Amino acid sequence: MLRTLYLKTIRDRAVGALIGVSSLWCVAVFGMWAYAGLGSDAVSFFDEMPAFYTDLVGITGDAGTAGLMLSMMFNFIGPFVVAGIAISMGAAALAGEEGDGTMNVLTTAPRSRSRLLASKGLAALTIAVAVNLAAWAGYALSIVAFGESTDAVNIGAATVHVTAVAILYGAVAFAIGAATGHQRVASGAATGFLVVSFFAAGLLPMIEGWEDWAKIFPWYYVKGAAPLANGTDWAQVGVLIAISAVLVLIGWALYLRRDLLAGERSIALVTRLTEAERVAKVLELLRGTSSTRGIVGKALSESRAILTIAGGGIFAMTVVMGPLFTLMTDFIGEFAGAFPDKVMAMVGFADYSRPEGWYHGEMLSITVPIAVAVAAISAGGALAGEERRRTIAVLLGSPLSRAQVAWRRAVATLTVALVIAVAVTAGISLGNWIAGLGMSYAHIAATGVLVWGLGAVLGAAAFLGAGLTGVPRIATGAGTGVAIVGWALTAFAAVNDALVPLAHVSPFYYYTWEFPLDNGLYWYQPVVLFGAAAVLFAAGVAGYVRRDLKG
């Protein structure tokens, strides 16, 4: 695999991609297992759902149990995972080499910049396509394994649409990375575009007169032509691929005309902005430059950007949800009541007519876990980041053992998760007070403890991957895999009681199963969450101490 740059890039990125697609396979199996009991009732189940929902996700009653599983995989979890892999590949393809300081080595070889870009870009494209093909095969096998038919669903057509959209997001990251040489800028901008597209494609079609504006966002084409029911719309796919090609060409043109970087440094735009005193204060907060006050302080200072964005964002959202509930109480109750229980199970049977159920369904089921997962997994994987950046030798030059360095990184991961939990607790409390919702503040505090515990487990999973391998993408993949599979187990256990015993291994079970906003804290919940995190941290430290470090 080292004979060519193309093959080396595929080798370096294959494990992370495999972890992501394996998580999708597990979710598909759990989904089929959960809905397998419906059998012939699947048609009536579809008939119970509002027409706007079935039109939105592009499924019909004829799709049966397979349609239920695939509508979730192709309209929510699947595109997020495969697009995330494509963005990671695109951002790291060229900008990652410059950030790591390895671009100098590549450019000394007898190959042009254009050939280098072509090799890296083709490797990213290969993995993006391979991931989607593997997901397609996994979905089909999971359906067949449960004795269902794939005749009423166009898995291949939906896969083509998702692949085209994922390639476009990857092309955005690739072009920005090629133009700037900064992996974090490329990854952040492309991920932000992905999130905005997801919400815009879902919300704009519901607003009269704004329907057509949704078409400018790539996510719209995941389901805009209802490929699961109607097959591939080759015109849409062709436009998406053409736009991706144009983005790559723009990135290529800018890449040829700039000086390459040898390690991360501030870009010219940031340099100019820091000359403005007001802007400089904000950038100083987000930059996350390393503190010299110990390893924990250094780790926390490096996490300032993600803590500011994730913590600040989730605080603002949880505050706003309080007054929003008072404005939408009647509408939300009728809206949620239009869905059958099996759909509401995805948000834990939240009672939207009550503020506790509103917060549980809208914030605690998906949004809050995403915020704490992103921050904690990033902090947990930072142990491997030190090896990748070749700064681990500096840390180990201090009068601390290798185990002490690792344990301080573990403490930093717990602290990052705690910050997000405090933001959630404060946001819900403030929203509760402003809107006069009357929720128990003790139960809100209990919810914050469980958010902290969930983040601790996910961060510890990433820490274990970092400690055992020293590879950041494997660490991130481990934490993300636990998050995806754990969420799916708990969500589907609400649909099928047979999955409840398996759900006990998921951290999400101890986080939301007992509705902490309604019932407060049970003693076993924090014991299991923090106990599991302690075991994972200890295993990560043991692996870190016993292996040869990289870099």
Side-chain angles (χ1 to χ4, degrees):
M1 296 295 284
L2 294 173
R3 295 177 68 86
T4 69
L5 180 59
Y6 166 77
L7 292 175
K8 179 184 181 300
T9 303
I10 290 178
R11 184 205 67 172
D12 291 343
R13 294 286 168 178
V15 174
L18 182 59
I19 292 174
V21 78
S22 298
S23 300
L24 291 181
W25 292 342
C26 291
V27 175
V29 170
F30 295 144
M32 288 301 301
W33 188 354
Y35 288 118
L38 290 176
S40 59
D41 293 335
V43 175
S44 60
F45 177 81
F46 277 94
D47 291 339
E48 293 176 18
M49 285 194 280
F52 76 86
Y53 180 77
T54 54
D55 292 341
L56 182 66
V57 299
I59 53 177
T60 65
D62 295 337
T65 304
L68 289 173
M69 183 272 287
L70 292 174
S71 66
M72 183 190 66
M73 299 307 300
F74 280 114
N75 292 304
F76 177 54
I77 296 179
F80 263 117
V81 173
V82 298
I85 292 172
I87 288 172
S88 175
M89 286 289 302
L94 294 172
E97 299 286 355
E98 294 184 68
D100 293 343
T102 54
M103 181 59 79
N104 289 339
V105 178
L106 293 179
T107 53
T108 57
R111 59 171 59 89
S112 65
R113 283 195 187 187
S114 295
R115 183 179 172 188
L116 177 63
L117 181 143
S119 296
K120 284 286 194 174
L122 186 59
L125 177 63
T126 300
I127 288 187
V129 172
V131 163
N132 281 278
L133 289 176
W136 175 8
Y139 300 158
L141 287 174
S142 64
I143 293 171
V144 173
F146 282 87
E148 299 291 333
S149 173
T150 61
D151 294 341
V153 287
N154 294 295
I155 305 178
T159 300
V160 170
H161 277 254
V162 171
T163 301
V165 170
I167 289 173
L168 196 153
Y169 287 122
V172 170
F174 185 83
I176 295 174
T180 66
H182 289 268
Q183 183 178 356
R184 286 177 291 182
V185 172
S187 179
T191 301
F193 181 43
L194 169 65
V195 174
V196 170
S197 296
F198 170 73
F199 284 108
L203 296 176
L204 291 178
M206 298 182 182
I207 304 174
E208 186 176 355
W210 289 74
E211 298 88 349
D212 290 339
W213 286 101
K215 296 179 181 179
I216 67 176
F217 296 97
W219 193 281
Y220 174 85
Y221 299 97
V222 169
K223 54 193 175 185
L228 270 176
N230 302 326
T232 305
D233 186 324
W234 291 108
Q236 291 184 0
V237 172
V239 170
L240 293 171
I241 297 299
I243 294 173
S244 301
V246 170
L247 288 171
V248 171
L249 289 174
I250 292 173
W252 171 69
L254 295 173
Y255 173 69
L256 293 180
R257 288 166 173 77
R258 69 174 176 84
D259 292 334
L260 301 184
L261 306 179
E264 291 280 5
R265 68 185 186 193
S266 297
I267 59 177
L269 176 61
V270 173
T271 301
R272 291 196 298 270
L273 285 174
T274 54
E275 295 176 357
E277 183 177 352
R278 295 179 180 177
V279 178
K281 293 180 180 179
V282 177
L283 291 176
E284 181 64 25
L285 175 65
L286 294 175
R287 186 179 298 151
T289 51
S290 296
S291 167
T292 58
R293 298 178 180 177
I295 292 175
V296 175
K298 176 180 182 297
L300 292 176
S301 65
E302 291 171 351
S303 298
R304 274 188 292 177
I306 198 167
L307 284 176
T308 302
I309 295 171
I314 203 65
F315 172 77
M317 292 176 69
T318 48
V319 170
V320 169
M321 294 304 288
L324 190 60
F325 173 77
T326 62
L327 297 175
M328 303 179 65
T329 303
D330 296 335
F331 168 76
I332 288 297
E334 295 176 1
F335 179 83
F339 290 93
D341 287 345
K342 293 296 189 294
V343 173
M344 296 308 296
M346 294 296 110
V347 290
F349 294 108
D351 181 1
Y352 276 71
S353 65
R354 301 172 57 250
E356 291 86 354
W358 166 253
Y359 267 105
H360 182 91
E362 290 299 307
M363 289 281 101
L364 299 178
S365 294
I366 296 175
T367 308
V368 167
I370 289 176
V372 74
V374 168
I377 291 172
S378 174
L383 185 67
E386 296 285 359
E387 295 181 64
R388 179 184 178 185
R389 294 192 300 270
R390 300 173 178 82
T391 55
I392 190 61
V394 178
L395 288 182
L396 295 179
S398 61
L400 294 171
S401 68
R402 194 189 290 191
Q404 289 175 311
V405 170
W407 276 116
R408 280 163 171 74
R409 277 288 184 179
V411 170
T413 302
L414 281 173
T415 306
V416 166
L418 175 61
V419 171
I420 301 298
V422 169
V424 171
T425 305
I428 296 177
S429 298
L430 185 56
N432 181 48
W433 176 75
I434 292 173
L437 301 180
M439 292 191 295
S440 166
Y441 287 101
H443 290 177
I444 295 174
T447 301
V449 171
L450 296 182
V451 171
W452 184 19
L454 177 66
V457 174
L458 300 181
F463 182 88
L464 175 60
L468 293 177
T469 69
V471 181
R473 56 184 171 274
I474 294 179
T476 301
T480 303
V482 170
I484 293 172
V485 175
W487 176 87
L489 268 176
T490 305
F492 290 127
V495 178
N496 188 334
D497 292 339
L499 284 173
V500 173
L502 280 178
H504 283 75
V505 304
S506 166
F508 285 82
Y509 178 87
Y510 304 95
Y511 161 61
T512 58
W513 191 262
E514 300 290 355
F515 295 92
L517 277 180
D518 287 286
N519 302 314
L521 194 68
Y522 292 88
W523 68 268
Y524 67 87
Q525 294 169 313
V527 169
V528 172
L529 289 174
F530 289 105
V535 170
L536 292 173
F537 279 130
V541 172
Y544 186 71
V545 169
R546 286 168 173 76
R547 68 171 175 84
D548 292 335
L549 301 186
K550 302 178 186 297

